[in-house]
Amino acid sequence: MSEEMVPGTQFKSLIEQDMQDCYLRYSMSVIVARALPDARDGFKPVHRRVMYSMHKLGVVPNKSTVKSARIVGDVIGKYHPHGDSAVYETLARMAQDFSLRYPLVFGQGNFGSIDGDSPAAMRYTEAKMNNMGALMLEDLEKDTVDMGPNYDESLEEPLVLPSALPNMIVNGTSGIAVGMATNMAPHNLREVGAAIHALAENPDLTGEDLMEYVKGPDFPTGAIACGRAGIRDAYLTGHGRVRVRARTEIETDSKGKSRIIVTEIPYMVNKAELCKKIADLVRDKRVDGITDIRDESSRDVRIVIELRRDAVGEVVLNNLFKYTQLQTTFSIYNLALVNNLPKLLTLKDLLQVYIDHRLEVITRATQFDLKKAEARLHIIEGLRIATQNIDEVVQIIRNSKSTEDAKQALQTRFNLDEIQSQAIVDMRLAQLTGLNIEKLEAEYNELIATVADLKDILEKRERRIAIMLQKLDAVVDKYGDDRRTTIGEAIDDSDDEDLIAEEEQVITLSREGYIRRLPIDTFKTQSRGGKGIIGAGLKDEDDVEQIFTASTHSYLLVFTNKGRAYWTKVYRLPEGARNGKGRPIVNFVGLTDGEKVQAIVPVRKFGGYFCLVFATKKGIINKMDLKLFSRPRKAGVNAISLDEDDELVKVQLVGLTEEEFKASEAASELDLGEEDSAAEVAENAEEVEGEEVNDENRPIPHDLLMLATKNGQAVTFPISCFRAMGRGTHGVRGIKLAEGDEVISLLWLKAGNKVLTITEKGYGKRSEPGSYRITRRGSKGVKNLNVTDKVGPAVFVDSVADDYDLIITTKEGQVIRIKADSIRVTGRNAQGVKAITLRDGDSVGDATALPSVEDIEQDSAEAKETFDKVEGVEVDDDSIVKNDGEDNDVMPKENPEEV
């Protein structure tokens, strides 16, 4: 029908239908004839044709090798009319012991290497089938498989191989078709043989039962398969992911210098590219602590990674696992052709398909042998008749005019057929001797027994199973070997931690955003009689902004001015020298533009009676259970909701007693008043005139918090006076600010410490915590500093011990370090004394209080003791890798005025 005769829509429909049919035929051609293996022998057509061509050429194990070009040419010319490179690559891969668990071809010459080197040209290499390859074609001549025409129908080729070796399972395969792909892992022959044995004898076994025999993939390059969950998924569903790690060890010489030795690498990893990747990471400073990389491999893999003397081998190794192919993921997808249709196969399916195929091969081989035995028996029966009537037979033959007359006469006289009469006519006189007649009788009796036995095999499935298992056991006994790949436990960051010694570290963060960690022993003074000061070891790092101690196993919660929270581990930080600068913190947490780190909180466990208290510049405070931050995301989470003109100032981790925690949880909204009482207003007015409330000796409760402002106000209240909220909430008012004032610090008051204040004009003072009257949350508070033009507003307020060092930095870069106790103790509303002499036009920008080694060790010991008593919650470290999205777990914003 012409186009004009067909309406437009109908013509379009015909084109669409034709395109669909053509594409479907093309897809099935690719799937069946090129990309996917047959589940019975595990071969794609090109593999099968290479093996069959070698078989027909006589390039078998007991013969000499021939040029690879001859094999490739024979394959292309007779069976596979495609590119020679694809055929040669197939031949070469079947000869590579690092590609196939059990190679099928013996190669002589350069057939490539694990470094990614290509095989030499086919004219230079030679090959032949090895013993394992010969198993794939065993009994092929016994009509055990179907044959089909080659591409020009001039020859026949097998549609599947007999496959005495369970090639599909032990060697695996990979391929990409149209809309589907396969990736099957290699396995150990002994384990597969045992599983086939068990399933053949008991077909009711489940996948779980079979996993008792097949432990997991067994890669030709060895390495370690981490975890069984992915293996279990693959065996029970046909699809799973297995994490594979290189086999490594860390050696330490007598001088304390370490090196990482890699002896096995994951399957299909290019060793040369792996070494290059490690070198690139070292050059780009993404992995620290490596001084040299050497590939000392010969026949076995050996990569030596030299480490810097102060590098922790476990940390470097974990980074290499993270950033290189020393750790890979092998995605198993058991897709293969069953009855020429693609099917996703479980472990049981794979084994059952092989068992069924082998039983069919054995059945057809038995039928072939039976047919051959019966044909011979038929001839022997005719010969027996002739020997029993030899005189008459001789007379008939002598009296016949021709051979045909003799055959016809014999057939008529003894009721024989054409085949039997021909055998008698062809019989030589030597066969009439007594000895030969006895041999004839023995052969007859043997054939009778053989035919009966073969018929019994065909009648009884259990006998065919026994024959199959007997042959398989012989293959396993001869070619089976020990497992190369170790099945290890599942790995995650907690497992990585177990490799790292738990040590106390001093963490410093500079004002420029550089972070580092150092062993606490680095700062212990060797001087006679003096206390070790943390600051004494900082040398040129006088711009340190935060300093604290934490265990290498601790978590670090990093909070920014925008109210976001990030998460990292202490052992991931670089271990630097005392005068080193460290690395930018953006290398460890994903800060966005405009974000600045305001607080870092070390946490040993997420659990117990711990909470985080947040303070903002506009006087808002919030309290949250520490457990809410045990599952952060790579992109960070919203810790606190801020107004547009507000920002986070400080975050304080507070450990409470059980009673304090319950009181905090039960805080009533009725107790959260935010207005100053008349007495408080009067007291504030009196304090402006210089009169102080003298209660310096009042004991300090454990749970007191203080908010300090730029203009000299301070409000002190117990943490139990306001309730905890959800993550991402707004919070409640902590202090009522006067116009132009803002919060600059949040303090957790500690008994024995003083409240230290530094002003913009270089004045400082220390005050007893007991002199700060406890007020209502949300009030104006009391005087902390008498702000005048002389002293300027406060820039720094903190709770410090007498033996702290104080580093004061000016806006023009002047730095001074003084003892905290060199600033005298005064009343809380005094102006203080000069702490630093400023140049004209200069002013104090910031200050940092550095504790002594003794203080920080005591704090660390107390924190460890407190955390060790609590039961930690499960921390999903993987979430910071898997989830790069925005934080959706945000609770609604609360209005502080309504609360």
Side-chain angles (χ1 to χ4, degrees):
M1 184 180 292
S2 66
E3 180 176 345
E4 290 78 8
M5 297 173 63
V6 181
T9 55
Q10 186 177 356
F11 182 72
K12 181 179 179 181
S13 177
L14 289 174
I15 293 177
E16 289 178 350
Q17 184 63 42
D18 192 48
M19 291 291 290
Q20 290 175 0
D21 292 342
C22 291
Y23 188 76
L24 181 60
R25 286 196 294 270
Y26 161 73
S27 300
M28 289 307 298
S29 174
V30 173
I31 291 169
V32 175
R34 297 187 68 177
L36 295 186
D38 192 296
R40 294 170 291 179
D41 62 2
F43 275 158
K44 302 175 190 176
V46 64
H47 296 82
R48 193 176 301 116
R49 288 164 179 167
V50 169
M51 298 299 292
Y52 183 63
S53 181
M54 296 173 75
H55 173 73
K56 297 301 286 185
L57 280 172
V59 190
V60 292
N62 59 348
K63 298 293 181 64
S64 300
T65 57
V66 301
K67 287 289 185 182
S68 299
R70 181 180 175 187
I71 300 172
V72 172
D74 198 69
V75 173
I76 294 174
K78 293 181 178 179
Y79 310 109
H80 197 74
H82 301 285
D84 60 346
S85 60
V87 177
Y88 184 48
E89 287 173 6
T90 299
L91 174 65
R93 188 174 188 276
M94 289 194 291
Q96 294 171 344
D97 59 2
F98 53 88
S99 293
L100 265 64
R101 182 63 178 82
Y102 299 95
L104 306 175
V105 171
F106 171 76
Q108 189 165 294
N110 176 15
F111 275 85
S113 73
I114 199 171
D115 287 321
D117 300 319
S118 300
M122 67 180 80
R123 62 183 179 272
Y124 298 123
T125 62
E126 296 184 359
K128 67 177 181 178
M129 196 185 304
N130 65 13
N131 291 323
M132 300 290 279
L135 290 173
M136 298 297 298
L137 296 109
E138 188 177 80
D139 293 336
L140 180 65
E141 309 299 335
K142 292 186 176 182
D143 191 31
T144 51
V145 295
D146 292 334
M147 305 291 286
N150 68 339
Y151 67 94
D152 63 357
E153 299 186 356
S154 62
L155 298 169
E156 283 194 329
E157 61 176 316
L159 302 181
V160 68
L161 296 185
S163 189
L165 175 75
N167 179 63
M168 166 66 85
I169 313 173
V170 298
N171 274 329
T173 188
S174 63
I176 301 175
V178 178
M180 58 186 67
T182 183
N183 197 36
M184 306 181 70
H187 291 83
N188 184 269
L189 178 58
R190 288 178 180 171
E191 294 180 4
V192 172
I196 292 173
H197 222 291
L199 184 60
E201 294 176 345
N202 183 5
D204 295 329
L205 291 179
T206 65
E208 296 278 4
D209 297 329
L210 294 171
M211 288 175 63
E212 295 295 324
Y213 302 95
V214 182
K215 305 301 183 182
D218 190 21
F219 300 109
T221 55
I224 303 170
C226 304
R228 301 177 185 272
I231 297 173
R232 185 176 184 276
D233 290 342
Y235 288 168
L236 299 184
T237 68
H239 175 49
R241 294 164 60 86
V242 181
R243 190 180 293 184
V244 184
R245 273 190 169 183
R247 192 177 302 278
T248 60
E249 59 178 328
I250 299 175
E251 296 179 352
T252 304
D253 60 20
S254 58
K255 297 180 180 179
K257 191 175 181 181
S258 300
R259 63 172 60 175
I260 299 172
I261 309 297
V262 181
T263 54
E264 294 176 2
I265 61 177
Y267 184 48
M268 300 305 292
V269 169
N270 185 313
K271 178 162 63 66
E273 288 295 323
L274 173 64
C275 295
K276 183 177 181 297
K277 177 64 175 178
I278 296 174
D280 290 343
L281 291 172
V282 175
R283 182 196 62 203
D284 297 339
K285 298 184 178 179
R286 294 184 62 191
V287 174
D288 191 35
I290 296 176
T291 60
D292 188 28
I293 306 165
R294 297 191 306 276
D295 185 0
E296 299 180 354
S297 306
S298 54
R299 298 186 66 88
D300 298 322
V301 172
R302 179 178 170 86
I303 302 172
V304 180
I305 303 171
E306 298 284 353
L307 303 182
R308 201 171 56 228
R309 191 178 305 277
D310 59 345
V312 178
E314 290 83 0
V315 176
V316 175
L317 183 56
N318 289 335
N319 283 327
L320 292 178
F321 284 145
K322 181 176 181 180
Y323 294 116
T324 73
Q325 287 190 304
L326 281 179
Q327 176 176 295
T328 62
T329 299
F330 189 90
S331 242
I332 299 175
Y333 203 79
N334 296 330
L335 187 70
L337 296 175
V338 179
N339 297 324
N340 271 349
L341 293 175
K343 182 180 179 181
L344 189 63
L345 303 170
T346 64
L347 174 62
K348 183 175 181 179
D349 294 336
L350 288 169
L351 298 173
Q352 191 62 57
V353 168
Y354 177 76
I355 291 172
D356 294 342
H357 173 58
R358 287 298 297 165
L359 289 178
E360 182 182 357
V361 168
I362 291 170
T363 299
R364 294 180 62 161
T366 304
Q367 290 171 341
F368 180 88
D369 291 338
L370 176 61
K371 184 178 179 181
K372 185 177 179 181
E374 287 179 335
R376 178 61 179 168
L377 178 62
H378 184 62
I379 293 174
I380 295 298
E381 286 174 342
L383 294 176
R384 288 180 73 241
I385 293 174
T387 57
Q388 292 169 2
N389 302 276
I390 190 59
D391 294 335
E392 186 177 357
V393 169
V394 171
Q395 187 64 33
I396 291 174
I397 294 174
R398 288 183 65 184
N399 294 335
S400 299
K401 292 182 180 180
S402 66
T403 302
E404 289 299 324
D405 291 342
K407 290 167 56 179
Q408 189 65 40
L410 290 171
Q411 292 176 27
T412 303
R413 171 67 183 86
F414 299 108
N415 194 25
L416 303 175
D417 61 15
E418 175 73 18
I419 296 174
Q420 289 174 320
S421 62
Q422 181 66 47
I424 294 173
V425 171
D426 293 339
M427 186 173 59
R428 294 177 299 171
L429 292 176
Q431 292 179 265
L432 299 176
T433 62
L435 181 61
N436 280 290
I437 291 174
E438 289 179 5
K439 288 183 178 179
L440 190 66
E441 287 296 321
E443 184 180 0
Y444 174 75
N445 294 330
E446 183 181 349
L447 285 171
I448 290 292
T450 299
V451 169
D453 184 59
L454 292 173
K455 287 182 177 179
D456 188 63
I457 291 173
L458 292 175
E459 291 174 359
K460 297 178 181 178
R461 176 182 170 86
E462 59 269 20
R463 287 208 60 191
R464 298 195 298 275
I465 291 176
I467 293 170
M468 177 194 69
L469 296 179
Q470 183 180 4
K471 290 187 176 182
L472 179 63
D473 290 344
V475 172
V476 171
D477 291 342
K478 187 172 183 179
Y479 302 108
D481 56 3
D482 294 333
R483 164 175 282 279
R484 297 180 187 175
T485 300
T486 303
I487 307 298
E489 297 300 321
I491 55 174
D492 51 29
D493 284 341
S494 62
D495 290 333
D496 294 343
E497 258 178 38
D498 294 338
L499 303 174
I500 299 172
E502 185 169 5
E503 300 174 342
E504 287 302 310
Q505 305 280 297
V506 174
I507 315 297
T508 65
L509 177 69
S510 73
R511 291 188 175 87
E512 290 78 19
Y514 286 82
I515 193 169
R516 64 172 179 168
R517 64 184 174 95
L518 301 112
I520 196 169
D521 293 343
T522 304
F523 297 97
K524 291 186 177 179
T525 181
Q526 302 297 322
S527 302
R528 182 179 54 192
K531 283 188 175 183
I533 301 299
I534 290 292
L538 291 175
K539 303 297 181 184
D540 297 331
E541 290 296 302
D542 286 338
D543 64 342
V544 63
E545 186 173 67
Q546 296 185 44
I547 186 167
F548 53 89
T549 180
S551 164
T552 48
H553 289 195
S554 292
Y555 311 93
L556 294 184
L557 291 178
V558 181
F559 299 93
T560 71
N561 58 331
K562 293 186 177 181
R564 301 280 290 174
Y566 299 89
W567 191 98
T568 188
K569 280 294 193 73
V570 170
Y571 64 75
R572 291 179 180 150
L573 303 179
E575 184 174 357
R578 290 197 307 178
N579 56 353
K581 197 171 186 179
R583 290 180 61 189
I585 195 170
V586 294
N587 290 351
F588 306 97
V589 294
L591 301 180
T592 59
D593 291 341
E595 273 192 306
K596 180 191 175 189
V597 175
Q598 291 293 89
I600 301 179
V601 177
V603 178
R604 292 177 185 264
K605 292 180 183 177
F606 290 91
Y609 302 118
F610 291 92
C611 61
L612 293 168
V613 181
F614 300 78
T616 76
K617 183 172 66 175
K618 295 299 183 181
I620 301 299
I621 59 171
N622 203 337
K623 180 173 64 176
M624 302 174 199
D625 193 330
L626 180 61
K627 297 175 186 176
L628 296 177
F629 294 87
S630 63
R631 294 176 181 266
R633 295 171 174 84
K634 185 176 181 179
V637 295
N638 287 328
I640 183 173
S641 178
L642 298 172
D643 294 330
E644 290 186 4
D645 59 344
D646 202 0
E647 66 179 32
L648 187 65
V649 172
K650 185 73 177 291
V651 181
Q652 178 68 56
L653 176 67
V654 179
L656 304 176
T657 63
E658 183 176 359
E659 293 74 18
E660 290 169 341
F661 187 84
K662 290 180 179 178
S664 175
E665 291 295 303
S668 170
E669 300 290 350
L670 299 178
D671 296 331
L672 305 183
E674 297 177 350
E675 297 297 330
D676 290 334
S677 65
E680 289 170 342
V681 172
E683 181 182 349
N684 289 337
E686 291 174 357
E687 289 175 350
V688 171
E689 298 173 359
E691 297 184 13
E692 300 181 7
V693 179
N694 187 14
D695 49 1
E696 295 181 358
N697 297 324
R698 177 168 49 86
I700 303 299
H702 170 72
D703 63 340
L704 282 187
L705 297 174
M706 175 186 287
L707 287 175
T709 74
K710 177 178 70 174
N711 290 340
Q713 288 295 112
V715 60
T716 305
F717 50 85
I719 193 173
S720 58
C721 76
F722 65 106
R723 65 181 176 87
M725 299 184 185
R727 202 183 70 215
T729 55
H730 186 272
V732 296
R733 180 178 293 169
I735 184 171
K736 180 176 288 186
L737 297 172
E739 185 176 354
D741 201 3
E742 64 184 41
V743 172
I744 62 170
S745 186
L746 169 69
L747 293 71
W748 183 19
L749 298 181
K750 290 183 61 177
N753 285 11
K754 307 290 192 303
V755 177
L756 172 65
T757 304
I758 302 296
T759 73
E760 189 179 71
K761 296 296 182 65
Y763 283 78
K765 74 178 189 70
R766 291 187 300 149
S767 303
E768 293 288 348
S771 64
Y772 293 84
R773 182 173 51 82
I774 300 174
T775 62
R776 297 165 64 109
R777 175 196 56 80
S779 66
K780 293 180 180 179
V782 298
K783 282 288 182 182
N784 170 50
L785 173 71
N786 187 13
V787 177
T788 63
D789 293 340
K790 175 183 175 183
V791 301
V795 296
F796 173 82
V797 181
D798 201 358
S799 174
V800 302
D802 294 343
D803 57 0
Y804 276 30
D805 265 12
L806 182 64
I807 297 176
I808 303 174
T809 308
T810 71
K811 293 181 179 179
E812 293 186 357
Q814 183 182 356
V815 178
I816 187 174
R817 185 190 308 225
I818 60 175
K819 296 286 187 181
D821 58 6
S822 66
I823 300 176
R824 67 184 180 86
V825 178
T826 64
R828 57 179 172 81
N829 63 347
Q831 292 183 350
V833 297
K834 181 159 287 193
I836 181 175
T837 301
L838 300 174
R839 302 186 183 96
D840 291 341
D842 198 3
S843 61
V844 174
D846 203 352
T848 302
L850 303 179
S852 68
V853 172
E854 288 76 7
D855 288 326
I856 206 166
E857 282 185 324
Q858 180 180 350
D859 291 343
S860 174
E862 292 175 356
K864 184 178 187 304
E865 181 181 359
T866 305
F867 274 103
D868 285 346
K869 293 178 181 177
V870 308
E871 181 178 352
V873 301
E874 181 182 354
V875 178
D876 184 10
D877 194 4
D878 286 341
S879 65
I880 67 169
V881 177
K882 297 175 181 176
N883 192 330
D884 291 339
E886 292 298 322
D887 174 29
N888 296 318
D889 184 17
V890 178
M891 298 186 69
K893 174 177 176 179
E894 288 196 31
N895 188 339
E897 302 302 330
E898 295 178 357
V899 179

